[in-house]
Amino acid sequence: MHLHGHTFAVYQAGPRKDTAIVLPGQTLPVVFDADNLGLWMIHCHNIYYAEAGMMNQLGYQR
């Protein structure tokens, strides 16, 4: 999964990044500060999965 406009840390491990591998049927807890106002995309880089629904907006817009 790829998060635009922010970076995150995989919960309790590793450096900050904007992309992480999430296996099918699994979850990946992350920690991030939503401190960059706007609507940002979160999506899978595999177009098959993105078109199947692994693409959404994240954020806040006034």
Side-chain angles (χ1 to χ4, degrees):
M1 295 299 291
H2 177 80
L3 175 60
H4 290 252
H6 296 84
T7 59
F8 58 85
V10 175
Y11 186 66
Q12 296 182 337
R16 299 191 67 78
K17 52 181 146 183
D18 64 3
T19 304
I21 295 173
V22 183
L23 298 175
Q26 300 294 310
T27 61
L28 182 69
V30 299
V31 176
F32 79 103
D33 292 322
D35 60 358
N36 193 1
L37 282 179
L39 295 175
W40 298 100
M41 178 177 274
I42 183 168
H43 63 92
C44 180
H45 275 167
N46 182 316
I47 195 66
Y48 172 82
Y49 294 112
E51 289 179 349
M54 290 180 72
M55 183 180 313
N56 212 329
Q57 286 184 337
L58 175 74
Y60 172 77
Q61 189 166 342
R62 293 179 194 200

